[in-house]
Amino acid sequence: MAALRKPVIAGNWKMYKTIAEAKELAEAVVRGLDNSFGAATLILIPPFTAIQEVKRTVSGTAIAVGAQDVFWEEKGAFTGEISPLQLKEAGCDFVVIGHSERRQYFGETDETVRKKTLAALCHGLTPIVCFGETLEERESGRTLDRIKAQLELSLFTLEEADFSRVVLAYEPIWAIGTGRNATPEQAEEVQAFTRSLVASRYGKTAADYAIILYGGSVKPNNALSLAREKDVDGFLVGGASLEAESFLAIAREALRAVRD
Ligand code: PGA
């Protein structure tokens, strides 16, 4: 974590929580806030059905709300899809794009990630764009090649001004929901590499300011050591974001890493 970049802690609730449960969880997060959290950006990412309720619950606080996916068209005959305009109206400022579960189960590709990212930016949503390698790619020594290819086909097609508004999230697929987080060294290797790719594509200043999150089995007990790595600027948290206590504990650890 570098002081130059404000830590971001985003909780991806995936397909959990009814509207009533989502409200309860958001209320518990709000109750747990104190002034120290002002130094971080906290984002709650509920399922679509609960976005509006969560937005209402956190209004008046600095907590932001995000969505888990978006379609690239503004409106039209696209049954089942949600447009950036609709997300904005419901209260979102962020949207996760290219999560590995979308890639694995719903046919997301680097090309659809590119289109969704542009559409989100066009409507004033900040995209949190995910990328990461499979276990097989890691074990066969292809991690960095895979990361580079993913970024070149999606994010690095953006103009510099657009790129500067994107949050990146490195999520090794083998670490998601498995309880097996990347070690701080593994996360740092990929995240430093990612920053060097950003520097070659957009220059050093863009790289210095790029926010690169880590995601994959982040818990209160591993957050501090991960956050101490200089290129880890915060977390995209799944399972541990479903309880206010563990979500806030992770955010506290991220803030501690900035102070230390
Ligand atoms: P996890 O999920 O924290 O449950 O591993 C992370 C994610 O999917 O973003």
Side-chain angles (χ1 to χ4, degrees), residues 12 14 99 101 171 175-177 216-218 236-239:
N12 170 14
K14 308 196 179 183
H99 190 281
E101 287 150 16
E171 297 212 308
I176 296 178
S217 297
V218 178
L236 182 54
V237 186

PDB file of all heavy atoms in Angstrom, residues 12 14 99 101 171 175-177 216-218 236-239, ligand 1:
ATOM      1  N   ASN A  12     -18.060  -7.744  -2.296  1.00  0.00           N
ATOM      2  CA  ASN A  12     -18.900  -8.338  -3.337  1.00  0.00           C
ATOM      3  C   ASN A  12     -19.790  -9.400  -2.683  1.00  0.00           C
ATOM      4  O   ASN A  12     -19.307 -10.456  -2.296  1.00  0.00           O
ATOM      5  CB  ASN A  12     -17.973  -8.951  -4.402  1.00  0.00           C
ATOM      6  CG  ASN A  12     -18.715  -9.792  -5.410  1.00  0.00           C
ATOM      7  OD1 ASN A  12     -19.952  -9.745  -5.500  1.00  0.00           O
ATOM      8  ND2 ASN A  12     -17.976 -10.571  -6.182  1.00  0.00           N
ATOM      9  N   LYS A  14     -22.074 -11.136  -4.000  1.00  0.00           N
ATOM     10  CA  LYS A  14     -22.453 -12.201  -4.944  1.00  0.00           C
ATOM     11  C   LYS A  14     -23.966 -12.452  -4.890  1.00  0.00           C
ATOM     12  O   LYS A  14     -24.726 -11.514  -4.698  1.00  0.00           O
ATOM     13  CB  LYS A  14     -21.629 -13.469  -4.667  1.00  0.00           C
ATOM     14  CG  LYS A  14     -20.126 -13.160  -4.636  1.00  0.00           C
ATOM     15  CD  LYS A  14     -19.253 -14.363  -4.746  1.00  0.00           C
ATOM     16  CE  LYS A  14     -17.797 -13.917  -4.739  1.00  0.00           C
ATOM     17  NZ  LYS A  14     -16.867 -15.015  -4.919  1.00  0.00           N
ATOM     18  N   HIS A  99     -15.651 -10.394 -13.507  1.00  0.00           N
ATOM     19  CA  HIS A  99     -15.367 -11.308 -12.400  1.00  0.00           C
ATOM     20  C   HIS A  99     -15.195 -12.723 -12.957  1.00  0.00           C
ATOM     21  O   HIS A  99     -15.883 -13.104 -13.915  1.00  0.00           O
ATOM     22  CB  HIS A  99     -16.511 -11.260 -11.374  1.00  0.00           C
ATOM     23  CG  HIS A  99     -16.170 -11.989 -10.114  1.00  0.00           C
ATOM     24  ND1 HIS A  99     -16.242 -13.355 -10.022  1.00  0.00           N
ATOM     25  CD2 HIS A  99     -15.724 -11.544  -8.912  1.00  0.00           C
ATOM     26  CE1 HIS A  99     -15.851 -13.719  -8.803  1.00  0.00           C
ATOM     27  NE2 HIS A  99     -15.532 -12.639  -8.105  1.00  0.00           N
ATOM     28  N   GLU A 101     -16.200 -15.490 -12.010  1.00  0.00           N
ATOM     29  CA  GLU A 101     -17.434 -16.304 -12.063  1.00  0.00           C
ATOM     30  C   GLU A 101     -18.255 -15.950 -13.298  1.00  0.00           C
ATOM     31  O   GLU A 101     -18.915 -16.809 -13.887  1.00  0.00           O
ATOM     32  CB  GLU A 101     -18.232 -16.115 -10.758  1.00  0.00           C
ATOM     33  CG  GLU A 101     -17.550 -16.841  -9.594  1.00  0.00           C
ATOM     34  CD  GLU A 101     -17.766 -16.220  -8.226  1.00  0.00           C
ATOM     35  OE1 GLU A 101     -18.678 -15.390  -8.065  1.00  0.00           O
ATOM     36  OE2 GLU A 101     -17.001 -16.571  -7.300  1.00  0.00           O
ATOM     37  N   GLU A 171      -7.432 -11.055  -9.220  1.00  0.00           N
ATOM     38  CA  GLU A 171      -8.079 -12.131  -8.482  1.00  0.00           C
ATOM     39  C   GLU A 171      -7.662 -13.483  -9.065  1.00  0.00           C
ATOM     40  O   GLU A 171      -8.245 -13.943 -10.054  1.00  0.00           O
ATOM     41  CB  GLU A 171      -9.600 -11.992  -8.575  1.00  0.00           C
ATOM     42  CG  GLU A 171     -10.129 -10.725  -7.944  1.00  0.00           C
ATOM     43  CD  GLU A 171     -11.528 -10.946  -7.365  1.00  0.00           C
ATOM     44  OE1 GLU A 171     -12.405 -11.442  -8.086  1.00  0.00           O
ATOM     45  OE2 GLU A 171     -11.715 -10.650  -6.189  1.00  0.00           O
ATOM     46  N   ALA A 175      -7.803 -18.807  -5.888  1.00  0.00           N
ATOM     47  CA  ALA A 175      -7.891 -18.263  -4.519  1.00  0.00           C
ATOM     48  C   ALA A 175      -9.302 -17.805  -4.179  1.00  0.00           C
ATOM     49  O   ALA A 175      -9.584 -17.465  -3.028  1.00  0.00           O
ATOM     50  CB  ALA A 175      -6.918 -17.092  -4.369  1.00  0.00           C
ATOM     51  N   ILE A 176     -10.196 -17.789  -5.171  1.00  0.00           N
ATOM     52  CA  ILE A 176     -11.533 -17.242  -4.927  1.00  0.00           C
ATOM     53  C   ILE A 176     -12.436 -18.270  -4.272  1.00  0.00           C
ATOM     54  O   ILE A 176     -12.671 -19.345  -4.824  1.00  0.00           O
ATOM     55  CB  ILE A 176     -12.161 -16.737  -6.242  1.00  0.00           C
ATOM     56  CG1 ILE A 176     -11.321 -15.576  -6.796  1.00  0.00           C
ATOM     57  CG2 ILE A 176     -13.602 -16.308  -6.022  1.00  0.00           C
ATOM     58  CD1 ILE A 176     -11.808 -15.037  -8.108  1.00  0.00           C
ATOM     59  N   GLY A 177     -12.896 -17.932  -3.087  1.00  0.00           N
ATOM     60  CA  GLY A 177     -13.838 -18.803  -2.377  1.00  0.00           C
ATOM     61  C   GLY A 177     -13.247 -20.124  -1.929  1.00  0.00           C
ATOM     62  O   GLY A 177     -13.968 -21.039  -1.551  1.00  0.00           O
ATOM     63  N   GLY A 216      -9.486 -12.664  -3.355  1.00  0.00           N
ATOM     64  CA  GLY A 216      -9.324 -14.118  -3.291  1.00  0.00           C
ATOM     65  C   GLY A 216      -9.032 -14.544  -1.871  1.00  0.00           C
ATOM     66  O   GLY A 216      -7.899 -14.447  -1.412  1.00  0.00           O
ATOM     67  N   SER A 217     -10.116 -14.953  -1.152  1.00  0.00           N
ATOM     68  CA  SER A 217      -9.987 -15.434   0.226  1.00  0.00           C
ATOM     69  C   SER A 217      -9.318 -14.429   1.166  1.00  0.00           C
ATOM     70  O   SER A 217      -8.518 -14.811   2.028  1.00  0.00           O
ATOM     71  CB  SER A 217      -9.253 -16.781   0.260  1.00  0.00           C
ATOM     72  OG  SER A 217     -10.017 -17.757  -0.432  1.00  0.00           O
ATOM     73  N   VAL A 218      -9.645 -13.152   0.990  1.00  0.00           N
ATOM     74  CA  VAL A 218      -9.153 -12.143   1.944  1.00  0.00           C
ATOM     75  C   VAL A 218      -9.978 -12.250   3.218  1.00  0.00           C
ATOM     76  O   VAL A 218     -11.215 -12.307   3.166  1.00  0.00           O
ATOM     77  CB  VAL A 218      -9.264 -10.712   1.369  1.00  0.00           C
ATOM     78  CG1 VAL A 218      -8.791  -9.686   2.396  1.00  0.00           C
ATOM     79  CG2 VAL A 218      -8.464 -10.590   0.086  1.00  0.00           C
ATOM     80  N   LEU A 236     -10.858  -6.670  -2.956  1.00  0.00           N
ATOM     81  CA  LEU A 236     -12.200  -7.051  -3.383  1.00  0.00           C
ATOM     82  C   LEU A 236     -12.506  -8.318  -2.580  1.00  0.00           C
ATOM     83  O   LEU A 236     -11.862  -9.347  -2.754  1.00  0.00           O
ATOM     84  CB  LEU A 236     -12.225  -7.309  -4.894  1.00  0.00           C
ATOM     85  CG  LEU A 236     -13.573  -7.679  -5.513  1.00  0.00           C
ATOM     86  CD1 LEU A 236     -14.649  -6.654  -5.167  1.00  0.00           C
ATOM     87  CD2 LEU A 236     -13.446  -7.766  -7.044  1.00  0.00           C
ATOM     88  N   VAL A 237     -13.464  -8.186  -1.673  1.00  0.00           N
ATOM     89  CA  VAL A 237     -13.715  -9.245  -0.686  1.00  0.00           C
ATOM     90  C   VAL A 237     -15.035  -9.931  -1.006  1.00  0.00           C
ATOM     91  O   VAL A 237     -16.048  -9.263  -1.214  1.00  0.00           O
ATOM     92  CB  VAL A 237     -13.819  -8.622   0.728  1.00  0.00           C
ATOM     93  CG1 VAL A 237     -13.920  -9.716   1.783  1.00  0.00           C
ATOM     94  CG2 VAL A 237     -12.649  -7.684   1.010  1.00  0.00           C
ATOM     95  N   GLY A 238     -15.038 -11.254  -1.030  1.00  0.00           N
ATOM     96  CA  GLY A 238     -16.282 -11.994  -1.237  1.00  0.00           C
ATOM     97  C   GLY A 238     -16.841 -12.445   0.104  1.00  0.00           C
ATOM     98  O   GLY A 238     -17.460 -11.678   0.834  1.00  0.00           O
ATOM     99  N   GLY A 239     -16.590 -13.701   0.450  1.00  0.00           N
ATOM    100  CA  GLY A 239     -17.165 -14.321   1.651  1.00  0.00           C
ATOM    101  C   GLY A 239     -17.089 -13.466   2.913  1.00  0.00           C
ATOM    102  O   GLY A 239     -18.083 -13.335   3.634  1.00  0.00           O
TER     103      GLY A 239
HETATM  104  P1  PGA B   1     -13.721 -14.594  -1.762  1.00  0.00           P
HETATM  105  O1  PGA B   1     -14.229 -13.953  -3.139  1.00  0.00           O
HETATM  106  O2  PGA B   1     -13.238 -13.449  -0.891  1.00  0.00           O
HETATM  107  O3  PGA B   1     -14.914 -15.279  -1.186  1.00  0.00           O
HETATM  108  O4  PGA B   1     -12.608 -15.524  -2.106  1.00  0.00           O
HETATM  109  C1  PGA B   1     -13.518 -12.927  -3.761  1.00  0.00           C
HETATM  110  C2  PGA B   1     -14.234 -12.487  -5.006  1.00  0.00           C
HETATM  111  O5  PGA B   1     -14.885 -13.305  -5.652  1.00  0.00           O
HETATM  112  O6  PGA B   1     -14.164 -11.302  -5.373  1.00  0.00           O
END
